Amino acid sequence: MPNAESPSAASDLARLKAALTSADPLTWVITGDSITHGLVHTQGARSYAEHLHELVRGELARTRDIVVNSAISGHRLTDILGDFDRRVASWRPDVVTIMIGTNDAMIGEGRTTVQPAEYAASLREFVRLVRALGAVVVLQTPPSIDVPNAPGRERIADFVEAVREVAAADDVLLVDQFARFTELGNGGVPWGLMGDPFHPNAAGHAAMALELASVLGIRPAPSRTLPLLTAIVATARLNP
């Protein structure tokens, strides 16, 4: 997916829009920690990465596209940077999304404490590496969490703000899942979308998929998936 100008959020979005109408196949890499890994708390339902797969390879009929989920539960950003070739570069991606920070924010005995400024510097390095591959990079904030019941993760808002600051400074596409979950929770935690204090459940993954698709302009018409995901989220909000 060629880029004739310096990358920016606007130019990346334009590139992606054009690429989605092209016959040339795309490779999508989705990476992060357990929230993106999508195990256990989805209880056998699809993760947001799998919903993206259905939207792209199914509803947009981009059957030659490849969607790779290289997220690993428990990982921090430094783990991804330390394994960048396997997790990202070796797939020769056209689009890379990352949602990371919930573990980076964690403090506790036996854990190395990461400062928000260190995390931001690592995130900027991730952006630099992905752009050097010629790929579109998409930053995602982690969703909001139940702080009182997630001991050690009280600093999550500082790390969310670091993602926003890096996105603004480096002019990167941003999917603000934290803001969306806060909105869905009427200013707090959207209990019906959570599997535990910091992992979204199946409905939460539906919400994240909708937000990601909205920002990236993935709007198949007609769509079976988007109305279904919208209904799942709406129903979950009624059953906190």
Side-chain angles (χ1 to χ4, degrees):
M1 189 165 49
N3 184 21
E5 57 183 304
S6 297
S8 66
S11 68
D12 281 347
L13 192 59
R15 287 172 65 202
L16 183 56
K17 181 179 179 180
L20 288 174
T21 62
S22 168
D24 295 333
L26 299 176
T27 299
W28 307 68
V29 170
I30 305 168
T31 197
D33 54 29
S34 59
I35 296 173
T36 298
H37 200 165
L39 304 181
V40 181
H41 303 282
T42 52
Q43 297 182 311
R46 287 180 170 177
S47 68
Y48 80 85
E50 291 168 318
H51 290 308
L52 179 67
H53 178 278
E54 170 133 355
L55 288 168
V56 171
R57 300 190 70 230
E59 298 205 339
L60 292 180
R62 298 187 56 82
T63 53
R64 295 183 64 236
D65 280 20
I66 299 296
V67 180
V68 177
N69 183 351
S70 70
I72 298 177
S73 297
H75 276 203
R76 291 177 164 187
L77 180 51
T78 50
D79 295 310
I80 297 175
L81 288 175
D83 195 22
F84 186 82
D85 184 64
R86 176 61 181 162
R87 300 281 289 275
V88 180
S90 64
W91 303 102
R92 299 172 60 189
D94 298 289
V95 185
V96 178
T97 79
I98 183 169
M99 182 193 295
I100 199 79
T102 304
N103 296 318
D104 303 76
M106 190 174 181
I107 57 174
E109 186 176 351
R111 294 188 67 90
T112 301
T113 298
V114 178
Q115 298 302 328
E118 296 175 286
Y119 167 81
S122 293
L123 194 57
R124 295 191 77 171
E125 175 64 5
F126 181 87
V127 170
R128 185 191 69 79
L129 289 171
V130 172
R131 282 181 164 169
L133 298 174
V136 168
V137 59
V138 182
L139 302 183
Q140 299 193 73
T141 59
S144 57
I145 70 174
D146 176 13
V147 172
N149 292 302
R153 290 181 166 88
E154 295 84 357
R155 302 185 303 156
I156 187 64
D158 295 334
F159 286 73
V160 167
E161 192 57 35
V163 178
R164 293 168 177 159
E165 290 172 357
V166 170
D170 288 4
D171 205 357
V172 178
L173 283 167
L174 175 67
V175 181
D176 199 336
Q177 303 284 10
F178 189 94
R180 179 57 178 153
F181 267 55
T182 302
E183 179 184 16
L184 290 168
N186 297 318
V189 179
W191 304 108
L193 305 184
M194 304 302 292
D196 73 5
F198 54 92
H199 288 99
N201 60 17
H205 277 265
M208 290 190 291
L210 285 168
E211 191 67 10
L212 179 61
S214 176
V215 172
L216 298 187
I218 300 173
R219 303 182 185 91
S223 174
R224 304 175 305 276
T225 301
L226 295 178
L228 175 61
L229 297 182
T230 300
I232 290 170
V233 174
T235 301
R237 292 185 71 196
L238 296 175
N239 296 282

